[in-house]
Amino acid sequence: MNRKYRKTIIAGNWKMNMKPSDVKPFADELKNIVSRAKWCETVICAPFVDLPAAVKAFKDCRVSVGAENLNENPKGAYTGEIAADMLVDLGVKYVIIGHSERRQYYGETDISVNKKVHAALEAGLQPIVCVGESLEQRELGITIELITLQVKTALANVSADKVRKVVIAYEPIWAIGTGKTATAEQAGEVCCAIRAVIRNLYGARIARAITIQYGGSMNEKNAAELLAQPDIDGGLIGGASLVPEKFAAIINAANQE
Ligand code: 13P
């Protein structure tokens, strides 16, 4: 973390867990156990149907709400899809874009990620753009090249003014839901490389101000060590974000003086 230059953001990604009726009990419990997040912003990214309840329940505990996906078009005949404006209208602030599960199961590509980033920024949502390599790609030694390409494509034609709103989440696919975390050094190295890509594209001032998260089996035990890396400015947390005590412990780790 480097709180002097950028915001630390701890974000939960509930994925396809938690029903609308689960939201309030979770928020009430979290409120009771989390210490005041002085140094970091907390976000819960929830399934679409949970969002109205989440916006309501998290309002008075300073937790922002995010969606897990959006459609790249502003409106129209796209049955079953959700547009950025609809999310903004609900009070949603963030949106996860290009999670590896969407790339793997729903055919999302770097190009569709770029379109969604533009749609989100246009509507005033803050995208959390996910990038990450598979185990095979890591073993081939192409992690940095691959991540560079993912970041460059995701940010293609995004202006310097708008890129300040973008959060990048480095999520090695082999670490997601596996209990296998990247070491702090491995995660720190890739997050540092991501910042270098942004520096090349937008200059040092903007690169210094962008929040880069780590995601992949982050939990209450390893959070402090990961967050101690200078280029890791928060976490995108799956499993541990479903349990208020675990999620609160991660927030508290990000809030250490
Ligand atoms: P886990 O924390 O369950 O590994 O999930 C990480 C993730 O995919 C967050 O987006």
Side-chain angles (χ1 to χ4, degrees), residues 166-231:
V166 175
V167 174
I168 309 277
Y170 167 54
E171 298 208 306
I173 298 167
W174 48 273
I176 296 178
T178 57
K180 215 163 144 192
T181 323
T183 63
E185 290 70 30
Q186 283 174 325
E189 182 198 4
V190 179
C191 291
C192 174
I194 292 171
R195 200 174 308 284
V197 173
I198 295 170
R199 194 178 306 119
N200 284 336
L201 294 172
Y202 296 99
R205 274 242 314 273
I206 289 179
R208 211 162 58 184
I210 297 271
T211 297
I212 302 176
Q213 299 173 315
Y214 167 79
S217 301
M218 192 189 251
N219 59 37
E220 67 288 5
K221 296 191 190 84
N222 58 29
E225 195 190 348
L226 287 158
L227 294 170
Q229 290 286 319
D231 285 300

XYZ file of all heavy atoms in Angstrom, residues 166-231:
489
model
N -10.192 4.158 -12.758
C -10.074 2.715 -12.965
C -9.248 2.075 -11.838
O -8.235 2.611 -11.414
C -9.386 2.427 -14.329
C -9.132 0.936 -14.512
C -10.234 2.975 -15.484
N -9.738 0.935 -11.378
C -8.991 0.101 -10.428
C -8.585 -1.154 -11.201
O -9.391 -1.689 -11.965
C -9.883 -0.296 -9.229
C -9.177 -1.271 -8.302
C -10.360 0.941 -8.476
N -7.343 -1.586 -11.023
C -6.924 -2.839 -11.664
C -6.806 -3.897 -10.576
O -6.240 -3.635 -9.503
C -5.547 -2.693 -12.363
C -5.495 -1.482 -13.300
C -5.149 -3.993 -13.069
C -6.060 -1.670 -14.667
N -7.349 -5.089 -10.847
C -7.203 -6.194 -9.898
C -6.365 -7.286 -10.554
O -6.769 -7.836 -11.586
C -8.568 -6.740 -9.501
N -5.225 -7.565 -9.953
C -4.402 -8.680 -10.447
C -4.860 -9.951 -9.757
O -4.714 -10.093 -8.546
C -2.914 -8.418 -10.165
C -2.089 -9.674 -10.376
C -2.153 -10.372 -11.580
C -1.271 -10.177 -9.367
C -1.438 -11.551 -11.770
C -0.538 -11.341 -9.554
C -0.633 -12.022 -10.755
O 0.067 -13.190 -10.941
N -5.429 -10.862 -10.552
C -5.936 -12.115 -9.996
C -5.365 -13.302 -10.770
O -5.908 -13.674 -11.822
C -7.464 -12.159 -10.091
C -8.167 -11.070 -9.319
C -9.550 -11.498 -8.870
O -10.356 -11.930 -9.710
O -9.815 -11.426 -7.671
N -4.264 -13.873 -10.278
C -3.745 -15.062 -10.953
C -4.797 -16.174 -10.907
O -5.314 -16.494 -9.828
C -2.498 -15.429 -10.144
C -2.555 -14.661 -8.882
C -3.516 -13.532 -9.059
N -5.133 -16.725 -12.068
C -6.252 -17.673 -12.140
C -6.012 -18.887 -11.239
O -6.933 -19.388 -10.605
C -6.480 -18.106 -13.615
C -6.841 -16.876 -14.455
C -7.584 -19.157 -13.726
C -6.786 -17.104 -15.954
N -4.755 -19.288 -11.149
C -4.410 -20.475 -10.350
C -4.579 -20.243 -8.852
O -4.541 -21.188 -8.068
C -2.981 -20.923 -10.669
C -1.980 -19.806 -10.663
C -1.657 -18.989 -11.706
C -1.198 -19.343 -9.554
N -0.720 -18.063 -11.323
C -0.415 -18.269 -10.008
C -1.069 -19.758 -8.214
C 0.473 -17.577 -9.179
C -0.187 -19.072 -7.397
C 0.570 -17.998 -7.887
N -4.771 -19.007 -8.456
C -4.919 -18.705 -7.021
C -6.375 -18.462 -6.633
O -6.683 -18.295 -5.459
C -4.078 -17.491 -6.660
N -7.284 -18.437 -7.626
C -8.679 -18.104 -7.332
C -9.430 -19.329 -6.828
O -9.531 -20.333 -7.519
C -9.386 -17.524 -8.580
C -8.732 -16.200 -8.979
C -10.879 -17.342 -8.326
C -9.309 -15.569 -10.227
N -9.919 -19.211 -5.611
C -10.751 -20.274 -5.039
C -10.002 -21.571 -4.786
O -10.609 -22.609 -4.518
N -8.690 -21.534 -4.846
C -7.905 -22.754 -4.714
C -7.245 -22.867 -3.353
O -6.693 -23.907 -3.004
C -6.774 -22.774 -5.768
O -5.978 -21.589 -5.598
C -7.326 -22.812 -7.175
N -7.248 -21.761 -2.607
C -6.538 -21.751 -1.329
C -5.043 -21.554 -1.535
O -4.265 -21.494 -0.587
N -4.648 -21.444 -2.799
C -3.230 -21.295 -3.131
C -2.992 -19.809 -3.440
O -3.426 -19.317 -4.483
C -2.994 -22.104 -4.414
C -1.673 -22.768 -4.514
C -1.820 -23.819 -5.593
C -0.612 -24.019 -6.436
N -0.897 -24.827 -7.609
N -2.383 -19.109 -2.514
C -2.175 -17.670 -2.744
C -0.840 -17.465 -3.442
O 0.107 -18.199 -3.181
C -2.080 -16.926 -1.393
O -2.978 -17.524 -0.502
C -2.382 -15.457 -1.548
N -0.769 -16.441 -4.274
C 0.544 -16.050 -4.787
C 1.348 -15.568 -3.585
O 0.781 -15.036 -2.632
C 0.375 -14.925 -5.802
N 2.659 -15.751 -3.610
C 3.444 -15.196 -2.506
C 3.361 -13.679 -2.618
O 3.073 -13.132 -3.695
C 4.921 -15.614 -2.591
O 5.474 -15.068 -3.791
C 5.082 -17.129 -2.589
N 3.646 -13.012 -1.520
C 3.593 -11.547 -1.533
C 4.554 -11.014 -2.590
O 4.240 -10.041 -3.285
C 3.947 -11.021 -0.145
N 5.694 -11.677 -2.753
C 6.681 -11.214 -3.742
C 6.143 -11.398 -5.159
O 6.273 -10.509 -5.997
C 8.013 -11.976 -3.600
C 8.802 -11.641 -2.347
C 8.150 -12.168 -1.067
O 7.450 -13.210 -1.120
O 8.313 -11.517 -0.016
N 5.560 -12.574 -5.433
C 4.992 -12.820 -6.778
C 3.905 -11.789 -7.091
O 3.885 -11.192 -8.171
C 4.348 -14.220 -6.840
C 5.320 -15.363 -6.976
C 4.594 -16.706 -6.867
O 3.627 -16.863 -6.113
N 5.066 -17.682 -7.618
N 3.002 -11.569 -6.148
C 1.900 -10.635 -6.367
C 2.431 -9.209 -6.499
O 2.007 -8.457 -7.378
C 0.898 -10.734 -5.212
N 3.395 -8.873 -5.639
C 3.973 -7.526 -5.664
C 4.690 -7.246 -6.977
O 4.593 -6.140 -7.533
N 5.354 -8.268 -7.491
C 6.101 -8.096 -8.749
C 5.140 -7.776 -9.910
O 5.384 -6.862 -10.702
C 6.869 -9.399 -9.056
C 7.710 -9.331 -10.305
C 8.107 -10.705 -10.849
O 7.663 -11.739 -10.295
O 8.841 -10.719 -11.838
N 4.045 -8.519 -9.980
C 3.113 -8.287 -11.095
C 2.400 -6.937 -10.923
O 2.235 -6.193 -11.891
C 2.107 -9.455 -11.243
C 1.140 -9.175 -12.390
C 2.839 -10.766 -11.473
N 2.025 -6.603 -9.696
C 1.348 -5.312 -9.479
C 2.284 -4.157 -9.823
O 1.854 -3.140 -10.381
C 0.836 -5.203 -8.043
S -0.540 -6.351 -7.750
N 3.565 -4.331 -9.536
C 4.557 -3.313 -9.883
C 4.669 -3.200 -11.410
O 4.750 -2.093 -11.966
C 5.889 -3.716 -9.248
S 7.262 -2.693 -9.707
N 4.616 -4.354 -12.096
C 4.685 -4.341 -13.564
C 3.442 -3.661 -14.156
O 3.533 -2.945 -15.155
C 4.812 -5.772 -14.089
N 2.299 -3.869 -13.526
C 1.061 -3.218 -14.003
C 1.206 -1.703 -13.876
O 0.850 -0.944 -14.783
C -0.165 -3.725 -13.202
C -0.432 -5.192 -13.535
C -1.398 -2.854 -13.468
C -1.473 -5.870 -12.662
N 1.774 -1.262 -12.758
C 1.948 0.186 -12.576
C 2.918 0.740 -13.636
O 2.735 1.848 -14.143
C 2.428 0.513 -11.153
C 2.154 1.960 -10.785
C 2.486 2.297 -9.334
N 1.893 1.410 -8.356
C 0.610 1.434 -7.991
N -0.211 2.317 -8.518
N 0.152 0.587 -7.093
N 3.921 -0.067 -13.995
C 4.870 0.383 -15.019
C 4.166 0.537 -16.369
O 4.446 1.468 -17.134
C 6.028 -0.609 -15.124
N 3.233 -0.365 -16.669
C 2.473 -0.257 -17.922
C 1.679 1.047 -17.914
O 1.672 1.799 -18.898
C 1.504 -1.463 -18.089
C 0.598 -1.270 -19.297
C 2.271 -2.772 -18.185
N 1.053 1.341 -16.799
C 0.250 2.568 -16.706
C 1.153 3.801 -16.794
O 0.797 4.797 -17.412
C -0.597 2.551 -15.412
C -1.601 1.392 -15.514
C -1.349 3.870 -15.210
C -2.334 1.071 -14.276
N 2.342 3.692 -16.221
C 3.300 4.800 -16.299
C 3.676 5.072 -17.753
O 3.716 6.210 -18.204
C 4.543 4.463 -15.467
C 5.439 5.663 -15.202
C 6.642 5.288 -14.334
N 6.252 4.642 -13.092
C 6.588 3.408 -12.713
N 7.353 2.669 -13.487
N 6.190 2.914 -11.565
N 3.919 3.987 -18.493
C 4.271 4.149 -19.913
C 3.139 4.774 -20.709
O 3.370 5.541 -21.633
C 4.615 2.792 -20.546
C 5.987 2.338 -20.110
O 6.828 3.166 -19.744
N 6.232 1.036 -20.133
N 1.906 4.413 -20.344
C 0.757 4.915 -21.096
C 0.363 6.333 -20.689
O -0.031 7.137 -21.525
C -0.459 3.999 -20.879
C -0.405 2.571 -21.425
C -1.613 1.788 -20.923
C -0.383 2.585 -22.950
N 0.438 6.623 -19.386
C -0.169 7.868 -18.891
C 0.781 8.762 -18.091
O 0.379 9.840 -17.668
C -1.371 7.535 -17.990
C -2.493 6.830 -18.723
C -2.640 5.453 -18.647
C -3.411 7.551 -19.489
C -3.669 4.795 -19.315
C -4.446 6.910 -20.154
C -4.569 5.533 -20.069
O -5.576 4.902 -20.722
N 1.986 8.269 -17.842
C 2.934 9.091 -17.075
C 2.943 8.737 -15.597
O 2.050 8.051 -15.085
N 3.972 9.237 -14.914
C 4.240 8.840 -13.528
C 3.154 9.315 -12.550
O 2.798 8.581 -11.626
C 5.599 9.380 -13.093
N 2.641 10.517 -12.755
C 1.663 11.050 -11.791
C 0.416 10.190 -11.718
O -0.074 9.850 -10.640
C 1.258 12.484 -12.191
C 2.158 13.562 -11.674
C 1.468 14.571 -10.735
N 0.191 15.095 -11.156
C 0.040 16.178 -11.940
N 1.085 16.794 -12.438
N -1.158 16.607 -12.223
N -0.082 9.804 -12.894
C -1.295 8.989 -12.923
C -0.990 7.578 -12.411
O -1.751 7.017 -11.614
C -1.917 8.983 -14.337
C -2.515 10.369 -14.602
C -2.965 7.882 -14.489
C -3.137 10.556 -15.945
N 0.137 7.031 -12.824
C 0.488 5.666 -12.395
C 0.548 5.579 -10.869
O 0.114 4.593 -10.269
C 1.818 5.255 -13.005
N 1.074 6.624 -10.270
C 1.217 6.653 -8.819
C -0.138 6.694 -8.112
O -0.270 6.282 -6.973
C 1.983 7.934 -8.488
C 2.842 7.872 -7.300
C 3.845 8.980 -7.303
N 3.197 10.292 -7.351
C 3.871 11.439 -7.445
N 5.178 11.428 -7.508
N 3.240 12.591 -7.479
N -1.150 7.203 -8.811
C -2.450 7.415 -8.177
C -3.439 6.265 -8.382
O -4.529 6.261 -7.804
C -3.060 8.706 -8.708
N -3.072 5.288 -9.207
C -4.021 4.202 -9.529
C -3.980 3.102 -8.456
O -2.904 2.675 -8.035
C -3.662 3.584 -10.907
C -3.798 4.634 -12.008
C -4.461 2.324 -11.194
C -5.146 4.753 -12.644
N -5.146 2.655 -8.066
C -5.249 1.561 -7.093
C -5.128 0.220 -7.810
O -5.872 -0.046 -8.759
C -6.605 1.642 -6.354
O -6.659 2.866 -5.624
C -6.793 0.478 -5.393
N -4.190 -0.602 -7.343
C -4.015 -1.943 -7.925
C -4.229 -2.968 -6.802
O -3.533 -2.952 -5.793
C -2.607 -2.101 -8.551
C -2.394 -1.023 -9.631
C -2.432 -3.502 -9.134
C -0.994 -1.025 -10.247
N -5.214 -3.819 -7.009
C -5.542 -4.813 -5.984
C -4.945 -6.171 -6.332
O -4.680 -6.461 -7.496
C -7.059 -5.007 -5.903
C -7.838 -3.769 -5.530
C -9.333 -4.010 -5.649
O -9.793 -4.588 -6.645
N -10.093 -3.571 -4.675
N -4.827 -6.994 -5.306
C -4.507 -8.407 -5.531
C -5.751 -9.222 -5.192
O -6.467 -8.901 -4.229
C -3.336 -8.865 -4.635
C -3.233 -10.375 -4.644
C -2.630 -11.023 -5.725
C -3.819 -11.151 -3.642
C -2.608 -12.410 -5.786
C -3.796 -12.537 -3.704
C -3.192 -13.159 -4.777
O -3.183 -14.524 -4.852
N -6.003 -10.268 -5.968
C -7.099 -11.181 -5.657
C -6.685 -12.615 -5.920
O -5.924 -12.882 -6.859
N -7.169 -13.530 -5.118
C -6.831 -14.946 -5.273
C -6.508 -15.526 -3.908
O -5.377 -15.391 -3.434
N -7.544 -16.098 -3.268
C -7.376 -16.690 -1.934
C -6.797 -15.720 -0.913
O -6.046 -16.132 -0.028
C -6.541 -17.974 -2.012
O -7.156 -18.912 -2.870
N -7.124 -14.441 -1.055
C -6.719 -13.510 0.005
C -7.626 -13.784 1.197
O -8.838 -13.971 1.040
C -6.842 -12.048 -0.437
C -6.159 -11.092 0.536
S -6.502 -9.371 0.185
C -4.952 -8.803 -0.422
N -7.046 -13.810 2.385
C -7.857 -14.096 3.564
C -7.326 -13.337 4.774
O -6.376 -12.557 4.656
C -7.934 -15.614 3.822
C -6.549 -16.219 4.022
O -5.666 -15.598 4.621
N -6.345 -17.420 3.512
N -7.956 -13.600 5.920
C -7.605 -12.850 7.125
C -6.179 -13.160 7.578
O -5.582 -12.395 8.320
C -8.643 -13.115 8.231
C -8.707 -14.526 8.809
C -9.307 -15.597 7.874
O -9.620 -15.308 6.702
O -9.441 -16.746 8.337
N -5.623 -14.283 7.111
C -4.273 -14.648 7.563
C -3.171 -14.048 6.688
O -2.120 -13.688 7.183
C -4.130 -16.177 7.567
C -5.059 -16.838 8.558
C -4.711 -18.307 8.743
C -5.794 -19.007 9.539
N -6.917 -19.439 8.657
N -3.426 -13.969 5.378
C -2.343 -13.506 4.498
C -2.490 -12.047 4.052
O -1.605 -11.515 3.379
C -2.224 -14.437 3.274
C -3.523 -14.509 2.470
O -4.287 -13.556 2.452
N -3.762 -15.616 1.802
N -3.606 -11.407 4.426
C -3.870 -10.049 3.906
C -2.770 -9.053 4.272
O -2.287 -8.307 3.418
C -5.225 -9.561 4.414
N -2.355 -9.056 5.540
C -1.395 -8.040 5.985
C -0.087 -8.135 5.196
O 0.473 -7.118 4.782
C -1.132 -8.193 7.480
N 0.349 -9.370 4.967
C 1.616 -9.550 4.254
C 1.503 -9.095 2.789
O 2.393 -8.430 2.260
C 2.022 -11.030 4.310
C 3.462 -11.240 3.920
C 3.810 -12.712 3.731
O 3.000 -13.583 4.121
O 4.890 -12.972 3.170
N 0.380 -9.439 2.166
C 0.174 -9.014 0.775
C 0.078 -7.489 0.696
O 0.684 -6.851 -0.165
C -1.091 -9.661 0.204
C -0.962 -11.160 -0.112
C -2.324 -11.829 -0.140
C -0.246 -11.379 -1.443
N -0.657 -6.898 1.626
C -0.876 -5.448 1.604
C 0.383 -4.664 1.969
O 0.456 -3.457 1.725
C -2.026 -5.074 2.548
C -3.406 -5.607 2.137
C -4.425 -5.396 3.255
C -3.887 -4.934 0.857
N 1.358 -5.351 2.531
C 2.616 -4.671 2.869
C 3.454 -4.390 1.619
O 4.383 -3.592 1.648
C 3.414 -5.515 3.858
N 3.109 -5.060 0.527
C 3.833 -4.793 -0.730
C 3.491 -3.378 -1.213
O 2.313 -2.999 -1.236
C 3.392 -5.811 -1.804
C 3.871 -7.226 -1.539
C 5.358 -7.382 -1.810
O 5.893 -6.854 -2.783
N 6.041 -8.082 -0.924
N 4.483 -2.627 -1.645
C 4.218 -1.218 -1.984
C 3.227 -1.016 -3.135
O 2.536 0.001 -3.178
C 5.599 -0.668 -2.353
C 6.491 -1.852 -2.527
C 5.906 -2.961 -1.718
N 3.144 -1.983 -4.051
C 2.245 -1.791 -5.195
C 0.914 -2.516 -5.058
O 0.117 -2.521 -5.995
C 2.953 -2.211 -6.488
C 3.964 -1.154 -6.903
O 3.552 -0.006 -7.135
O 5.174 -1.463 -6.934
